[in-house]
Each structure stands twice: as C-alpha cells, then as structure tokens.
Amino acid sequence: MSTLLQTILDGPEKGALREFLQQLRQQGKTYWLRNDILQVFYDSCRCFPEREAFIPHASLAKLLDTTQEIILEAESACFVLRPKIASQTAVRLTTNLDLEPITIPELLDIRDRLVNHYNPQEGDIFEIDFHPFYDYSPLIRDNKQIGKGVQFLNRYLSSKLFQDPAQWLASLYKFLRLHHYNGTQLLINERITNQFQLLEQVKEALLFLDAYGAKEPYTNFRFELQVLGIEAGWGNTAGRIRESLELLEALLDAPDHQTLEALLSRIPMMFRLVLVSIHGWFGQEGVLGRPDTGGQVVYVLDQARSLEQQLQEDITLAGLDVLKIQPKVVILTRLIPDHEGTRCNQALEKVYGTDNVTILRVPFRDFNAAVTQGWISRFKIWPYLESFAIDAEKALLAHLQGHPDLIVGNYSDGNLVAFLLARKFKVTQCNIAHALEKSKYLFSNLYWQDLESQYHFSLQFTADLIAMNAANFIVSSTYQEIIGMPDSVGQYESYKCFTMPGLYHVVDGIELFSPKFNVVPPGVNEAVFFPFSRTADRLAGDRRRLEELLFSLEDPLQVQGYLADPRKRPLFSMARLDRIKNLTGLVEIFAQSPALQEVCNLIVVAGKLRPEDSDDPEERSEIEKMYRLIEQYHLQGKVRWLGVRLSKADTGEVYRVIADHQGVFVQPALFEAFGLTILEAMVSGLPTFATRFGGPLEIIQDKVNGFYINPTQGPETADSLLEFVQKCEHYPDYWHQLSQAAIDRVYSAYTWKIHTTKLLSLSRIYGFWNYVSREEREDMLRYVESLFYLLYKPRAQALLNQHTQGL
C-alpha cells in the first residue's frame, strides 16, 4: 500500500493529498482513526461535486480506505496502513512529501510521544516479542484460512507422517500407549512393543474381526483382542472397532490429513474436563443480570451440559462402558462468602439436568475480608488469581480423583488461571475470550495510566498476552473476532502490535497465522429456546404471567413505564445496562423517531431500575441516562423498562411472547463479540436487527434472515426498523417469512451439538500436537512464565497492597 501512496505522490493527486493533510491539521487533532479520516475526506469532497464523482476511481480514496491511523507530527504525518486483514505497515510522509518506512519500534515510540510518555534519556523501554517462539509451529499462509487451524494442522501432521514415517509413527505409537483411565490401559497394551508390531497386530485384529457381524458387542470378544494387544477404546461393536482399526491401518500405510483427523477424533482421551469462569456471580439461579455475569454464565453452563452428553456418547461408542467410565465436567469458579441470597457460597453445586457436571467454587484467600468476602469486579480481580490457581489445583485433584484432561479458560482471568493450571497438570489448554476489553475501550492501551485506577488494563492486557500465547488452541466464535474485517481490526489482531506507554512495547504480541485459532461458534439451549410456534411445549401459565409482565403489570419495583396502546408492534431488547450494550442508545433512537413511535412500542429488559441498587458505576450512569431520556423525550406510554432478573426458562418464554405479538428483536450494541441473545431471539422466531459491529455480521445474512444496523447512526437505524414494520403491514406474510428464515439459520449452524462435537475433536487433535511438539514449545512457555513473574505478578502485588490497605 505504500506503493499506492508513492503513486499518488508521483501523480496528479499529490495536491489533493497535501490539501487533505492540511484539513486534518486545521481540526486541531493529532491522532486520527479510520472512521474520522474517511468522514473528513468525504465531507470535503461533498463540497466539490466534481470531486465526489471521481471518488470511486481516486487513488487517494483507496489509500484512505485502508488507512487505520494518521498521526500528525510537527514535520511529518505517519500513516498506519492495513492493505489487507492481518497485515499492517507504517510509513512517514514528510512536509516535503518524501516517503520513509517506519519500523514497529519507531511507530510505538511515536505513539508514546503522542501521549507525552516518551523519554529517550531514560533508556529503551521493555519490548515483548513472541515472533521467535513460534518457530515450533507451521504457519498458515492464506489469511482466508485463519480460524481453520485444525484443518491446516491435520494436513501438516499427515505430511510429516509421510515425509518422515519412522519418527512420526514412533510418536503415534507412544501416543496411543499413553492412554489409560485410573490405571486401566486403553487402546494398546504391552504386547505391542513398537510401531512396526503395531501395524502387524492391527492387520491381525482386522482378520479376527471378519468372523463377527458388525453389530456384535465388544464384550463378546474383548479378551481375544487383548491377547492381540488391542485394549478397550476402539469401539463398542465389531463394526465400530473395524472402522477405527482400518483408519489406523490406513494412516500407518499411507497417511493423509482426513484419515488422521478421523482417527484422532475417535481416540478416547477426554474424560475429565475443567471449564474456568472466575469473575462475577456464577450460579444457576439469582445471578443473571448481576454485574460481570451476563452471557458468560449461560454460555458455560450450556457448554458444560452439552460436553457431558457428547463425552458420554463418545465413551459409549468407544466401548468404554465395560470399564464403567463416566465423564466428569467441572466448572471452576470463585466462592463468594457474602453471597447475597445466591448459591455462590456453596463449594459444590450439581448442574441441573446432568449426571456429573459440577460447579466447584474455590474462595479467594482473605488478604482483606472486606474485599474478598464479596463480589469483586472483573477489573480488580487480578491479585487473587495466582493463589486461587494454587488452591484450585488441590480442590480439582480431590474432586476429580485425578488430573483433568483438558482445561478451558473463559475471559481474561479464566484464561490466565487455565494457563497456570495447565502448566501444573501438563495438559492441553484451550482459551475462549468471549470479548477482549482492549477492543471495547478505545485507546485503552495508549491512555492506560489515566484509566488504571478504574480498569487496571496493565494487568488485563498482560494476562491476555500470557494466556493466548501459552494456549494450545484458541476457540473464537467468529472469524472477525480473530482478524476483523477489511474496515475493522480484530480482537486478537489488536494484540499484534501496541504500546503501554511507560510500561512496555509489544512488537509482536500474537501470531495470527498460527494454526491454534479455530472458529467454533456456540449454540442455543434448545430445551429452553425454541420457536414460538411450538405451542405444545409452552406452559400456558408462564405465557400468561410473562404476557402481563411485559405489557400491563403495574409494579414500581419491577417495571418503569406503561404502554398507552399495547396493540402496537413491540420492539424488544434485553441486555445489561452498560455503555457497550447501548440500550440507552436504542431508547434515544426510538425517541428521535416520531414515525416509529406511531407504529411501535419499545420494551427493554435491563437489570435494575434504581442507581442505588447497583455497585457498578457504569451501570448507575446508564440507569440515570435512561430516566433522563424518558423524561426529555416524553416517552411515557411508549416505553416499558423492566428491571427484573429472569430465570432462563422465563427468558426463553419472553422471546416467544414477543413473537406472539409479531414483534422485533433489536440488539443495538456498539460492539458485540458474538451475540448469544441474537441466536436466542432468532430461534424463538423473532425477526432480528443487530449491530454490524462484531459477531452478528457472521450470524445474520442481511435481509435474508435478519438485518444489520449501525447503532451510531440513529436516523438510519430508525428508518430500517420503520421500513420493516411498514412492509409487514402491507404484506402480512413478510413477518412470518423472516421469522422462519431466522429459525432455519440457527438450526443449520448454531447448535450445542455442533459446537461440542467440534470442540472435543479439536481437543484430541491438539492433544496429539501438544504431545509431539512439547519440547519445541518449552521455550515459548518459559518466555510466558517470565512475563508472568516479572511483569504481571509485581503489578498484581501492588494492587493487592491497595486492597489490603482498604483503598
């Protein structure tokens, strides 16, 4: 893209570029981001119609479209260019319009100067560079393949098997010999002593199985196979065992990636799983709507239930019922002594509808009881995580009666603890971020010192760097979560290169082309969230009760506002009251559109009604803003605001009641990493309008099974909603068409069965990769540990000292 810039400098658009930079300087700002850059450019072109006509063909327009930042210095302008996703470069344009390349360290120094935190006389700042440590791993070359890491890794592993069969087959043999359960050997026993004998015994076992029909139970010939060196784990019937052994035979004879994936996906190596979700209130009742809880609790509970079901199915298919093996899934979270009527003070809690899924709560150590006895914000939790991991290790060993086989972290704090535990147990680590705060808070790294007292981003971003690089694999809900879109940087991509002025520079924070990244979207709980048309599965009493709550109940403790005409089509939204979720923004959009108010009511479910009931400053601010908007725009009779905590069952029925009234679900977030509420609304049959910033772009196909909105453009959003409502009035079948399309979309791609099948397959494949690359990864893990002990831990201790002193 610097070539395009040089072309402009050598051509007729040179003057236009000079004029544009002068316009930026006249604004008085020195740091410009993409959206503002384009806004100034297009505004200036509108003043000259002859210019506007040439925009689609102008090199300057193409250049600015790929410019992420412009930093104006006294004698130059620095361009940060992103010619394609996952690729950035920086150049300096002098006042004489000479072009100079800028290295990453130089760019970070420029950003430091911008916020007056650059002093070369103090010496060089600490640089973090993970690039050299990824030499153990093959790298993806095509950015379109990012997020499909397991497919790439399978091809790589099978090619290695083919190129160097002796070494890799020996590794495969040793890997198969590793597997046991509570001292009982699985897969192959001591009668098979090397990879060459393995192939011979597999062929002999296949000949033996020819005497049995496909449905013959494994128990009928179990001991005969043991004599051949074949143990339990290959299948529950002769047919299933034959399929598994044929895959192994094919892999030993002529390896390919599809055979490798199919074989590893069948190997029983996952029996004890730990899902780590630490911050917030984690429980099954009385926690949703509390700060720091939200969708993560729903996600982890649904995932845990589905994982147990899938593990049990896999164990049965593997023929391990004969050994009485039962899977165990543990949700590891913190115990909160001041539990406020919830069960968050219980050390163990069984998850409803499961056999062996348990919430295991471990308390934080009492450095200061006034702090650690109650809830602690996700932004202040950092000093307690190392000691929590130490205590959790003992609690897990006692509860599981053995080591876990997989540890899955959730969010920044859970991922850090997952790293510490995986390092202790020497097991596979999976990271799931849901949302990374660095992307949500603009300039949060650049101005971290100003935000530190409230958000402690120095600890959070360091924890993210540690966990994401240590993880064996990372699960994202969407492709853009990793590397964004052509016009936006991805959450993980934002960690590639950044500065924490005065603390450290990240020269290369994550390898985006590593095969550790995999897109595995979550699903919906189909027992709770299902189409409104399935009336036989709905309870009439719940339906009537929630109908009254949504439309007519007068209860100042739960409801603010009434509906003057409840027959109007309801616009509905449900989320936490925080700035990012932008429910107050939706109210403002509705308030500024009299035409929309004529045909619709607005109903929002949003946690609390009174600022004094919230411990979260941001939530209190949003509550106060909601009241101001209702008063300012005279929305009484048009808006109902429910400050309630709904059970999961009630949440599902609320969507369906809104669908009974042919309503519309609106998700107006300023940024949404994925959007579980979008899936819930769609599968319930609600036509859905969702933010175009984040994951909804991959869930919804615009104007096919839902609609995109830009919540920062209020009139445009209101017009889109109004257009849909008017079309429904003119064409009564239109609402039903969109409703069915939304339902079909969810069932085709977003079920928990699809999610957990893929997650367990990934766990097995990366478990094998972890085994064969462990020695090569040790340098990476030592580097990560250095960051933990030298950077993270001292800052965590400083924050702990503040908490101990009651600050």
Side-chain angles (χ1 to χ4, degrees):
M1 193 50 62
S2 58
T3 304
L4 178 58
L5 183 51
Q6 187 63 59
T7 301
I8 293 171
L9 295 175
D10 294 338
E13 294 183 57
K14 179 178 180 178
L17 173 59
R18 187 194 296 274
E19 182 181 325
F20 175 71
L21 290 175
Q22 186 60 34
Q23 283 183 305
L24 293 185
R25 290 187 183 278
Q26 290 171 355
Q27 302 284 331
K29 287 171 54 177
T30 56
Y31 203 142
W32 290 84
L33 296 182
R34 181 180 183 275
N35 287 344
D36 292 335
I37 293 168
L38 291 175
Q39 189 68 50
V40 171
F41 175 68
Y42 285 107
D43 285 349
S44 67
C45 288
R46 290 188 189 101
C47 298
F48 301 93
E50 68 280 3
R51 273 191 202 171
E52 191 172 14
F54 288 99
I55 284 177
H57 312 288
S59 296
L60 180 56
K62 294 175 184 176
L63 173 72
L64 296 180
D65 193 50
T66 57
T67 300
Q68 290 298 308
E69 304 171 20
I70 294 178
I71 303 173
L72 300 175
E73 296 193 293
E75 301 297 328
S76 64
C78 302
F79 284 72
V80 179
L81 306 170
R82 189 169 176 261
K84 57 183 180 180
I85 54 179
S87 175
Q88 287 195 11
T89 186
V91 293
R92 176 184 284 109
L93 190 63
T94 67
T95 52
N96 296 325
L97 297 188
D98 294 324
L99 204 57
E100 303 170 352
I102 299 176
T103 65
I104 295 299
E106 288 173 335
L107 175 63
L108 299 180
D109 285 342
I110 291 169
R111 289 172 175 162
D112 285 355
R113 284 200 296 271
L114 184 71
V115 292
N116 298 318
H117 279 291
Y118 176 75
N119 186 354
Q121 295 179 351
E122 294 179 357
D124 292 335
I125 194 169
F126 179 61
E127 289 187 348
I128 297 174
D129 186 358
F130 279 97
H131 180 73
F133 298 99
Y134 277 92
D135 58 359
Y136 79 92
S137 169
L139 298 180
I140 295 170
R141 295 181 180 178
D142 183 359
N143 58 33
K144 296 185 180 67
Q145 299 304 309
I146 293 175
K148 302 175 183 177
V150 73
Q151 300 174 20
F152 175 84
L153 191 57
N154 280 330
R155 288 192 293 270
Y156 175 80
L157 289 172
S158 61
S159 70
K160 284 292 185 181
L161 280 166
F162 185 80
Q163 294 168 11
D164 190 1
Q167 177 187 344
W168 281 80
L169 291 178
S171 297
L172 180 59
Y173 160 75
K174 292 175 183 176
F175 182 69
L176 294 175
R177 284 280 287 130
L178 281 178
H179 293 92
H180 59 84
Y181 182 82
N182 286 354
T184 300
Q185 184 64 43
L186 305 178
L187 298 175
I188 58 176
N189 60 37
E190 69 281 353
R191 290 185 175 90
I192 299 176
T193 59
N194 56 57
Q195 67 268 32
F196 306 108
Q197 190 181 6
L198 175 61
L199 180 57
E200 294 173 3
Q201 295 303 99
V202 166
K203 291 181 182 297
E204 190 169 340
L206 286 170
L207 288 173
F208 168 78
L209 289 169
D210 286 341
Y212 293 92
K215 296 183 179 180
E216 188 75 21
Y218 167 62
T219 52
N220 291 355
F221 50 85
R222 172 187 177 189
F223 299 110
E224 288 88 340
L225 282 181
Q226 281 182 328
V227 173
L228 296 174
I230 306 297
E231 291 286 350
W234 297 103
N236 59 336
T237 64
R240 177 82 179 180
I241 296 170
R242 184 181 294 110
E243 290 173 4
S244 300
L245 293 180
E246 284 174 348
L247 287 170
L248 178 56
E249 180 188 35
L251 193 63
L252 294 171
D253 280 336
D256 70 81
H257 67 278
Q258 292 174 325
T259 303
L260 179 65
E261 181 174 5
L263 176 66
L264 291 176
S265 296
R266 286 178 175 232
I267 291 177
M269 61 178 88
M270 299 290 160
F271 306 110
R272 304 180 182 100
L273 273 58
V274 176
L275 313 180
V276 188
S277 178
I278 300 173
H279 70 269
W281 302 84
F282 198 104
Q284 300 179 81
E285 296 175 354
V287 295
L288 293 183
R290 290 176 181 265
D292 283 9
T293 301
Q296 186 168 317
V297 171
V298 175
Y299 178 104
V300 174
L301 281 171
D302 286 345
Q303 184 187 59
R305 290 189 184 96
S306 187
L307 280 169
E308 184 198 35
Q309 294 173 7
Q310 190 60 50
L311 283 169
Q312 188 58 64
E313 182 180 321
D314 292 348
I315 286 169
T316 299
L317 285 174
L320 296 178
D321 285 353
V322 67
L323 300 178
K324 310 297 183 187
I325 293 177
Q326 293 290 321
K328 289 185 178 181
V329 180
V330 173
I331 299 170
L332 177 65
T333 188
R334 67 165 297 216
L335 185 147
I336 306 177
D338 293 344
H339 55 98
E340 298 183 13
T342 71
R343 295 183 182 175
C344 293
N345 65 327
Q346 295 183 10
L348 290 172
E349 181 184 352
K350 184 179 178 183
V351 173
Y352 305 146
T354 68
D355 294 321
N356 289 294
V357 180
T358 305
I359 301 172
L360 173 63
R361 299 188 179 93
V362 175
F364 285 166
R365 294 185 187 172
D366 280 339
F367 298 101
N368 178 354
V371 176
T372 56
Q373 293 291 303
W375 167 77
I376 303 173
S377 161
R378 69 187 187 275
F379 296 118
K380 298 181 179 180
I381 203 171
W382 310 106
Y384 310 100
L385 297 183
E386 184 182 16
S387 58
F388 175 87
I390 293 169
D391 297 339
E393 178 189 356
K394 301 171 187 173
L396 286 169
L397 286 172
H399 179 72
L400 293 173
Q401 296 296 297
H403 286 196
D405 303 305
L406 171 70
I407 299 177
V408 181
N410 291 273
Y411 192 71
S412 302
D413 51 2
N415 286 326
L416 184 70
V417 170
F419 155 67
L420 295 171
L421 289 173
R423 191 72 170 136
K424 286 285 186 180
F425 289 130
K426 294 181 171 54
V427 297
T428 305
Q429 174 195 347
C430 168
N431 275 21
I432 300 176
H434 303 295
L436 294 166
E437 303 293 345
K438 188 172 178 296
S439 301
K440 291 166 60 176
Y441 291 85
L442 190 63
F443 297 135
S444 51
N445 61 287
L446 202 58
Y447 295 99
W448 71 272
Q449 296 185 57
D450 299 329
L451 302 168
E452 189 72 355
S453 61
Q454 181 176 357
Y455 294 110
H456 304 285
F457 285 140
S458 68
L459 282 158
Q460 181 149 16
F461 299 166
T462 305
D464 286 334
L465 286 170
I466 288 168
M468 68 177 63
N469 284 286
N472 297 101
F473 68 103
I474 296 172
V475 164
S476 71
S477 298
T478 62
Y479 173 81
Q480 62 186 293
E481 188 179 318
I482 307 169
I483 55 171
M485 301 290 285
D487 59 352
S488 62
V489 174
Q491 290 188 67
Y492 285 97
E493 185 182 1
S494 72
Y495 284 79
K496 181 71 174 174
C497 159
F498 67 95
T499 175
M500 301 287 282
L503 183 61
Y504 58 68
H505 282 174
V506 177
V507 175
D508 196 330
I510 184 68
E511 178 52 75
L512 298 170
F513 289 84
S514 166
K516 70 168 58 180
F517 287 103
N518 290 273
V519 176
V520 187
V524 290
N525 185 330
E526 296 171 59
V528 176
F529 303 100
F530 54 84
F532 75 103
S533 55
R534 279 170 45 185
T535 53
D537 296 324
R538 300 173 63 181
L539 298 176
D542 289 345
R543 188 174 178 177
R544 287 191 298 270
R545 174 173 56 84
L546 293 170
E547 174 98 18
E548 181 184 10
L549 174 67
L550 287 166
F551 292 95
S552 60
L553 179 70
E554 295 183 13
D555 182 352
L557 297 178
Q558 297 186 79
V559 182
Q560 169 67 34
Y562 67 97
L563 300 179
D565 184 359
R567 295 170 299 175
K568 291 180 183 179
R569 193 183 302 270
L571 304 179
F572 176 67
S573 193
M574 179 162 46
R576 297 190 311 275
L577 263 178
D578 63 24
R579 185 182 64 83
I580 295 295
K581 293 300 182 183
N582 194 40
L583 281 185
T584 54
L586 175 60
V587 172
E588 194 161 13
I589 289 169
F590 181 75
Q592 293 175 352
S593 175
L596 197 56
Q597 295 171 39
E598 283 294 317
V599 292
C600 293
N601 291 315
L602 177 61
I603 302 172
V604 296
V605 176
K608 295 181 175 67
L609 294 179
R610 287 169 293 279
E612 60 269 21
D613 291 340
S614 176
D615 296 324
D616 186 332
E618 191 167 289
E619 184 179 37
R620 289 197 297 269
S621 174
E622 289 295 295
I623 291 172
E624 292 165 356
K625 182 179 179 181
M626 187 81 88
Y627 281 112
R628 286 198 306 272
L629 289 170
I630 292 172
E631 185 68 24
Q632 177 185 350
Y633 290 99
H634 309 293
L635 295 177
Q636 294 83 356
K638 302 173 183 179
V639 172
R640 264 174 81 82
W641 168 17
L642 280 64
V644 295
R645 292 181 188 145
L646 296 172
S647 68
K648 187 180 248 188
D650 280 354
T651 300
E653 188 59 26
V654 159
Y655 287 121
R656 291 187 287 271
V657 169
I658 296 293
D660 290 336
H661 290 257
Q662 293 197 10
V664 176
F665 182 73
V666 187
Q667 206 275 28
L670 299 175
F671 175 81
E672 182 60 63
F674 180 65
L676 202 54
T677 56
I678 294 169
L679 293 184
E680 294 168 357
M682 289 174 70
V683 79
S684 302
L686 280 174
T688 296
F689 287 70
T691 180
R692 66 187 308 113
F693 302 122
L697 280 177
E698 293 179 42
I699 297 174
I700 290 173
Q701 296 159 312
D702 193 33
K703 299 178 182 176
V704 176
N705 44 47
F707 301 88
Y708 302 147
I709 59 171
N710 182 343
T712 66
Q713 301 296 320
E716 176 187 300
T717 297
D719 288 346
S720 297
L721 288 163
L722 186 60
E723 180 183 353
F724 173 77
V725 170
Q726 291 173 339
K727 192 169 183 178
C728 290
E729 295 298 325
H730 285 95
Y731 305 100
D733 287 342
Y734 186 58
W735 186 92
H736 290 283
Q737 291 172 11
L738 264 295
S739 171
Q740 190 59 52
I743 293 167
D744 293 343
R745 174 63 172 165
V746 174
Y747 282 137
S748 69
Y750 297 101
T751 69
W752 279 112
K753 172 71 172 176
I754 296 171
H755 173 93
T756 50
T757 300
K758 182 71 178 291
L759 180 61
L760 289 174
S761 177
L762 291 173
S763 302
R764 295 178 180 110
I765 293 162
Y766 284 94
F768 177 57
W769 173 243
N770 186 29
Y771 173 75
V772 298
S773 64
R774 181 168 291 161
E775 291 183 5
E776 289 85 351
R777 289 188 77 241
E778 190 60 26
D779 289 347
M780 163 80 83
L781 294 173
R782 291 293 186 185
Y783 185 60
V784 165
E785 284 183 330
S786 297
L787 296 182
F788 176 80
Y789 287 107
L790 299 178
L791 270 178
Y792 176 89
K793 192 169 179 177
R795 297 197 69 82
Q797 183 62 49
L799 181 56
L800 180 61
N801 292 341
Q802 293 180 25
H803 289 185
T804 303
Q805 296 162 15
L807 299 178

